[in-house]
Amino acid sequence: MSRKKAGAPLGVVGLLAAAVAVAVLIAPGTLSYFVSSAQTPATTVSTGEAALSIAGNGGPSGTVYPGGPTQLLATRTITNTGDVALSLVSAFTATGALAPSLTITVSVQSGACGATPPATWPADSGRWQGTTAGLTTSVPTTIGIGATRRLCAWQSLGVNAPNGTQGQAAPVSITVTGTQVAP
């Protein structure tokens, strides 16, 4: 009894070769893998310096009364001494029995501070107004590199201030924060 090994019929191998040849003819293409590199020259990265200088002390002193006119509280000179433009925002606090009824208006502007806030605000002025409980107006502004602006702060007392505020004081603290403007 002889045993024959079963081999792949020539027809199957030929059929596979024909299928590969047809596939190459119908969908030609190449398979490539390219590798390239280039060295770039060294570069330097540097950061800017945000610096804000506020000069001045004291201020006009006056008394306010319920429903009375807004009065100038303080003026300061603000200078951007850094090498990046700064976006300015302001916040304020006051303490004492008078504080909840006190309205503070703060502005950073190009011109001098008037005895009362301007009737219309210049386009480049930032302004913040409200009571110590919260702001009602917040308009940020930008101060350029080396620019000097005037900080003006006014005070007024609401018409509905309680009788307990008579003869009281409210020390006010105003904070101006400068944040770098993205180039």
Side-chain angles (χ1 to χ4, degrees):
M1 202 161 138
S2 82
R3 288 192 169 187
K4 268 186 162 184
K5 242 183 178 179
L10 263 180
V12 173
V13 172
L15 186 61
L16 284 175
V20 169
V22 169
V24 168
L25 290 174
I26 292 176
T30 60
L31 177 61
S32 301
Y33 182 69
F34 294 102
V35 175
S36 177
S37 65
Q39 193 167 14
T40 59
T43 185
T44 302
V45 176
S46 59
T47 60
E49 180 181 0
L52 192 61
S53 169
I54 301 176
N57 55 24
S61 62
T63 56
V64 291
Y65 56 90
T70 302
Q71 298 176 355
L72 186 61
L73 177 63
T75 63
R76 300 289 185 270
T77 301
I78 296 179
T79 304
N80 181 349
T81 57
D83 56 8
V84 294
L86 298 174
S87 175
L88 301 179
V89 295
S90 181
F92 41 82
T93 59
T95 56
L98 185 60
S101 302
L102 191 62
T103 299
I104 303 293
T105 303
V106 177
S107 175
V108 175
Q109 56 193 40
S110 300
C113 300
T116 60
T120 58
W121 296 96
D124 69 339
S125 67
R127 59 192 178 279
W128 303 269
Q129 182 179 42
T131 64
T132 56
L135 292 175
T136 55
T137 301
S138 180
V139 180
T141 190
T142 300
I143 184 169
I145 301 167
T148 297
R149 305 282 291 280
R150 180 74 60 195
L151 173 90
C152 309
W154 295 274
Q155 64 182 348
S156 64
L157 195 57
V159 70
N160 295 323
N163 286 335
T165 60
Q166 185 173 348
Q168 298 296 313
V172 176
S173 174
I174 299 170
T175 303
V176 177
T177 304
T179 304
Q180 176 180 344
V181 176

